[in-house]
Amino acid sequence: MLKDTSINHVNVRKIISMVGGKENISKITHCLTRLRFILYDQLKVKIDDLKKIPEVKGCFNQDDQLQIIIGTNVEKYYKTIQQYILKIDDNKNNKISNKVYSKFITCLISNLSEIFFPLLPTLICGGLILGLRNVISEIPIIDNKSLLEFYPILKPIYEFLWLPCEAIFHFLPVAICWSTVKKIGGTPILGIILGITLVSPQLMNPYNLIDQSPNVWDFGLFAIQKIGYQAQIIPAIFSGLFFGWFEKFMRRFIPDYLKLVIIPIITLSISLVVAHGILGPIGRMIGNEIAVIIKFIMFGNFAPIGSAIFGFVYPLLVVSGLHHTTLTIDLQIMQSQGGTPIWPIIALANIAQASSVVGIILISRKENEREITIPAAISAYFGVTEPALYSVNLYYRFPLFCAMAGSSCAGFICGLFNVLSNGIGIGGLPAFLSIKPMYWPIYFFSTIISIIIPIILTIFVYRYQKRKGILISN
């Protein structure tokens, strides 16, 4: 076995041992910062010993999964652990997997992060490029004129930058179908083909539905409207899930010598009808309803309260592992409203978690603690909060709530002024690059709030608990 010298293989073997050995591992996946284990026997896990391993920032059980927080280096640990457990019995694997994933909703929620994880680089890139285009076209320089108006030479750059943005966002269903089909265990290239059919130029752009009625394919017994799903998330996920499931179903009945010929044509043909005739319209309806609900909660008169509530509870979504589900809502709102109010609050919640750790750094004098707190704070300020959450804030407990209070206040301000981002971007302090430039002043003020309040509250509560003798000392 070729060893990666950048990671500690002794501790990798300890992780495998502490989860009950490779014989106890049914399946392992990962997201941006976490290893996710499906185990045969959860009772064999030694949680306390796992937490003592330096690379482990935290671990807990969620939806029959053991989730171990590693950090941004998680992919290397995932690949190394895979090398150590290659000899797992596939038949035993399938048996436990069918048991764990028997509930569709649980399956959908637990796998959303794994569907979106491969797409994150493109989504972040797209959000930042959209931000750059808005900087060129929206920031007033002199006499309320933008850079584009002052320097017409920027127009070709502005127009050229729409190429990657269009590819990333308008044709996002292609990437989602690919990732979903791959996750389910289908053929990824067929997932790409399915995704392309959802955004084909033959179809009416959904943005034009208000102005004109779509044409239809009339099959006699039924008709299918020629409507595209550009930039739509839920129809693509539903279509990819069906395709992956149906392809795996077909494999059980088609002989090996006919699989290459029969399975692609049958699965793709039937999936096309189901996607465009059933799942696509249902997905669009669900997406529109979600947009209406979010618009009510985070736009208009209720926006300050809704944004404050979301800012308060978002860290709990991170703890539970459900925070990746917000990507679906973010992208859906962005498609319908031209921007999302959710991402700015997520970024402010990242900053607030980091600031609570800074409060601990400033007030605590514990020996060797800064070896953990300083890297955790830096990581959270750049959008990866798990080290801060699990190594510091959940350890002390009260810094988590101090951070939640800070992000709630910052969220209230953002909601009051309807701050929007162009889309998904870098989290933490650099997130302003994805915020629409017209909202930069109020967003910078919200950022200051999300820094100051958690620091002050954390220092105050730390001193209070120390004076009362109830501060964690071990």
Side-chain angles (χ1 to χ4, degrees), residues 84-383:
Y84 281 111
I85 62 175
L86 281 177
K87 296 182 180 179
I88 292 177
D89 183 356
D90 287 336
N91 292 329
K92 193 178 180 184
N93 236 0
N94 292 334
K95 182 178 179 181
I96 191 74
S97 294
N98 289 335
K99 177 183 177 182
V100 172
Y101 287 105
S102 57
K103 294 182 180 179
F104 176 77
I105 298 299
T106 302
C107 172
L108 180 61
I109 292 175
S110 64
N111 286 304
L112 267 178
S113 62
E114 294 172 35
I115 289 172
F116 279 102
F117 174 69
L119 310 182
L120 286 178
T122 58
L123 295 175
I124 291 172
C125 175
L128 293 177
I129 294 176
L130 277 176
L132 178 57
R133 292 182 83 247
N134 285 345
V135 167
I136 294 173
S137 65
E138 291 186 15
I139 293 184
I141 305 299
I142 301 175
D143 296 331
N144 288 324
K145 290 185 177 181
S146 67
L147 283 171
L148 189 60
E149 292 172 306
F150 261 103
Y151 303 101
I153 195 173
L154 293 175
K155 186 176 181 180
I157 297 175
Y158 176 79
E159 293 175 347
F160 187 76
L161 289 176
W162 178 242
L163 274 177
C165 294
E166 183 182 43
I168 291 170
F169 293 112
H170 274 227
F171 299 108
L172 185 58
V174 179
I176 290 177
C177 281
W178 162 78
S179 185
T180 306
V181 170
K182 182 180 178 183
K183 168 61 190 167
I184 295 299
T187 304
I189 184 60
L190 293 178
I192 292 175
I193 300 301
L194 178 64
I196 292 173
T197 69
L198 296 177
V199 295
S200 169
Q202 297 182 45
L203 307 173
M204 175 190 288
N205 192 306
Y207 297 106
N208 298 329
L209 274 175
I210 298 176
D211 302 322
Q212 53 185 303
S213 299
N215 295 323
V216 299
W217 288 292
D218 189 349
F219 295 98
L221 296 176
F222 62 94
I224 296 177
Q225 292 183 326
K226 296 182 179 180
I227 302 176
Y229 296 92
Q230 288 83 352
Q232 299 212 10
I233 312 306
I234 298 175
I237 293 176
F238 284 0
S239 301
L241 286 172
F242 176 82
F243 184 95
W245 168 82
F246 187 59
E247 183 183 356
K248 291 174 68 176
F249 176 79
M250 289 293 297
R251 287 178 191 163
R252 301 177 187 175
F253 305 100
I254 304 299
D256 289 342
Y257 60 87
L258 291 177
K259 282 182 178 178
L260 190 60
V261 177
I262 300 297
I263 289 180
I265 185 65
I266 293 180
T267 52
L268 189 57
S269 299
I270 293 179
S271 295
L272 278 175
V273 175
V274 172
H276 286 274
I278 302 174
L279 297 179
I282 291 174
R284 181 190 290 113
M285 181 182 65
I286 293 174
N288 290 340
E289 292 303 316
I290 290 175
V292 169
I293 294 170
I294 298 299
K295 186 177 179 180
F296 172 76
I297 294 174
M298 303 192 73
F299 289 86
N301 294 332
F302 196 70
I305 302 300
S307 299
I309 292 172
F310 183 76
F312 187 80
V313 303
Y314 179 74
L316 301 180
L317 296 180
V318 177
V319 172
S320 67
L322 297 178
H323 57 300
H324 292 289
T325 60
T326 61
L327 288 175
T328 308
I329 301 172
D330 251 324
L331 294 168
Q332 187 68 36
I333 291 296
M334 179 185 161
Q335 178 265 333
S336 62
Q337 301 295 327
T340 171
I342 298 175
W343 184 257
I345 301 174
I346 289 175
L348 292 170
N350 297 156
I351 295 169
Q353 290 297 323
S355 300
S356 281
V357 179
V358 170
I360 293 294
I361 293 172
L362 294 176
I363 192 64
S364 175
R365 297 292 183 267
K366 291 183 180 179
E367 188 177 354
N368 298 327
E369 188 175 57
R370 293 189 178 184
E371 294 177 5
I372 298 173
T373 54
I374 291 177
I378 293 172
S379 174
Y381 274 132
F382 283 90

